[in-house]
Amino acid sequence: MAFTTKMQQRISASRPTLPARAARRSVRVRSQASSTTNENLGFSTMRDGIKVAADDSLLTPRFYTTDFDEMEELFSLEKNPNLDMEELKACLREFQRDYNQKHFVRNETFKSAADKITGETRRIFIEFLERSCTAEFSGFLLYKELGRRLKTTNPEVAEIFTLMSRDEARHAGFINKAMSDFGLALDLGFLTKNRKYTFFKPKFIFYATYLSEKIGYWRYISIYRHLQRNPDNQLYPLFEYFENWCQDENRHGDFFTAILKSQPQFLNDGAAKLWSRFFCLSVYITMYLNDHQRSEFYESLGLNTTQFNQHVIIETNKTTARIFPEVPDCENPAFFIALDKLVVQNREVIAMGKLDLPKPIKTLMKIPTIISMAIGVLAVFFMTPMSVGSVDIMDKEAGSQVAY
């Protein structure tokens, strides 16, 4: 769940109640060979084999919290007659089947494959794994807390969130173990207690988590299919697990589709159209900039970073158009021309940050480019969107349908 925006983030003063078992995800495996290989990669460690987590920024995965009292009201059958419990119970049965219970089983090829990855490719592999692990673990924490808070209000929905947290914990643990193949890992228990939590209102949680799960599906399945066609680029066995793995992401996204269908107020007015486009662009632009900062990773897999990102965004947008009332027109040629310009400007900002100059001077140097980037993002936001959405929801009290 890697999405964020300055426009409505605020850091919660209080922490949600968090599961005590999170610390068990910590991994402290480090071989002498890995230690030597990682010496010149520039990573700081908290202790032997445990990496200091990347600093928070606009483009890094974050941990989220929300208004849990409002969540309880939204899932109360008394206060929300639009809840289609038959559809939600069908989702629950899918999660209870636990299709991937025995999927995440490692074999002896992981460590040997990691040892063969060296230099800059090794560094970007570790960065990729860290970002992926942090995003999955963020989902685990949020879903686990929602499962706990909703037990009394709506036991079925609470169980779904708990089972989704099971999936996310599995993913995070599997990735963190993969990091240990490279001689480093994250202390997830430490992150749970010390990372800042960003507050989103429930409706923003629904928009953002839906997009995060669906774009995660398209990223994983696209990488998997590419490597099946090009097995010589399969540098590390983690990617062989992506076909079944991505179905977890897809099921999570389908659950949020059911939630949004049960909350027509989040989809059927002018504000919903603006927020839908806003979150689409936040997720798409964040991924586009992040991946182009680390294009060496995708090139090591034989992927063209730009083509891969554009494919993922277009497919995610098509999927999102089935439920969101408006989405960006990603197939308008001007859309990706604008994003490519942002990539160039983002590289300029990063290069300025590396100059051997006092920090205040570097900040002043960055301002014109950052302003230009902000104008560029606004220009993309105000491009003519696609009016979409194909959901009909029955308003049980009014006895009428809302179509959009």
Side-chain angles (χ1 to χ4, degrees), residues 344-362:
V344 173
Q345 292 173 320
N346 189 49
R347 286 174 179 159
E348 291 174 358
V349 171
I350 292 170
M352 292 175 198
K354 294 178 179 178
L355 294 174
D356 186 18
L357 293 170
K359 187 174 181 180
I361 294 177
K362 290 192 288 187

Side-chain angles (χ1 to χ4, degrees), residues 269-336:
D269 61 15
K273 292 180 179 181
L274 291 174
W275 284 121
S276 295
R277 283 160 52 201
F278 174 80
F279 275 96
C280 282
L281 288 174
S282 295
V283 171
Y284 300 164
I285 292 174
T286 297
M287 183 189 79
Y288 207 78
L289 296 182
N290 265 325
D291 285 359
H292 279 84
Q293 282 181 218
R294 299 162 180 84
S295 59
E296 297 93 340
F297 170 77
Y298 299 96
E299 291 168 5
S300 72
L301 300 179
L303 286 162
N304 178 293
T305 306
T306 299
Q307 292 175 0
F308 168 72
N309 271 255
Q310 291 183 3
H311 168 74
V312 168
I313 288 173
I314 288 170
E315 293 303 326
T316 303
N317 208 51
K318 288 178 181 177
T319 303
T320 303
R322 299 171 191 164
I323 183 66
F324 279 22
E326 276 190 0
V327 296
D329 184 1
C330 297
E331 297 187 66
N332 177 345
F335 181 83
F336 284 116

Side-chain angles (χ1 to χ4, degrees), residues 215-232:
I215 206 167
Y217 165 79
W218 281 109
R219 285 173 64 82
Y220 287 162
I221 195 62
S222 299
I223 291 173
Y224 175 81
R225 289 170 178 168
H226 164 76
L227 292 176
Q228 289 300 298
R229 294 191 299 268
N230 302 276
D232 290 345

Side-chain angles (χ1 to χ4, degrees), residues 94-298:
E94 279 289 287
F95 287 114
Q96 288 172 332
R97 290 189 177 98
D98 196 6
Y99 297 103
N100 286 333
Q101 182 181 18
K102 299 179 180 179
H103 179 61
F104 295 95
V105 179
R106 288 163 53 89
N107 56 50
E108 69 283 354
T109 65
F110 277 75
K111 186 64 176 69
S112 58
D115 288 341
K116 294 175 183 176
I117 300 172
T118 59
E120 182 65 9
T121 302
R122 186 179 185 86
R123 184 185 67 79
I124 58 176
F125 254 76
I126 293 171
E127 286 186 351
F128 167 79
L129 293 171
E130 178 182 1
R131 294 178 62 81
S132 300
C133 181
T134 305
E136 298 282 3
F137 192 64
S138 170
F140 160 70
L141 293 175
L142 177 64
Y143 296 160
K144 186 71 173 179
E145 183 65 8
L146 284 167
R148 190 186 73 82
R149 293 292 190 104
L150 296 172
K151 276 185 180 179
T152 302
T153 304
N154 195 318
E156 287 88 356
V157 170
E159 186 176 355
I160 291 174
F161 276 116
T162 299
L163 294 176
M164 290 201 304
S165 75
R166 169 204 67 196
D167 296 340
E168 301 286 359
R170 222 177 248 162
H171 302 165
F174 196 69
I175 297 171
N176 207 28
K177 182 62 177 175
M179 280 188 70
S180 74
D181 292 332
F182 292 81
L184 294 169
L186 296 175
D187 185 335
L188 298 179
F190 179 84
L191 282 182
T192 299
K193 297 175 183 178
N194 293 279
R195 193 130 175 146
K196 293 178 180 178
Y197 285 71
T198 299
F199 179 91
F200 269 1
K201 289 176 65 66
K203 68 176 179 180
F204 300 145
I205 288 287
F206 296 154
Y207 295 144
T209 48
Y210 169 84
L211 281 163
S212 179
E213 299 289 4
K214 287 299 184 180
I215 206 167
Y217 165 79
W218 281 109
R219 285 173 64 82
Y220 287 162
I221 195 62
S222 299
I223 291 173
Y224 175 81
R225 289 170 178 168
H226 164 76
L227 292 176
Q228 289 300 298
R229 294 191 299 268
N230 302 276
D232 290 345
N233 292 317
Q234 185 82 256
L235 300 182
Y236 187 62
L238 179 79
F239 307 113
E240 296 174 1
Y241 291 73
F242 274 13
E243 183 179 31
N244 287 17
W245 187 333
C246 75
Q247 296 306 326
D248 283 344
E249 313 294 335
N250 207 29
R251 280 186 285 272
H252 295 183
D254 289 345
F255 168 61
F256 283 108
T257 299
I259 289 178
L260 287 167
K261 286 165 63 178
S262 74
Q263 308 291 340
Q265 72 275 21
F266 296 157
L267 295 170
N268 63 6
D269 61 15
K273 292 180 179 181
L274 291 174
W275 284 121
S276 295
R277 283 160 52 201
F278 174 80
F279 275 96
C280 282
L281 288 174
S282 295
V283 171
Y284 300 164
I285 292 174
T286 297
M287 183 189 79
Y288 207 78
L289 296 182
N290 265 325
D291 285 359
H292 279 84
Q293 282 181 218
R294 299 162 180 84
S295 59
E296 297 93 340
F297 170 77
Y298 299 96

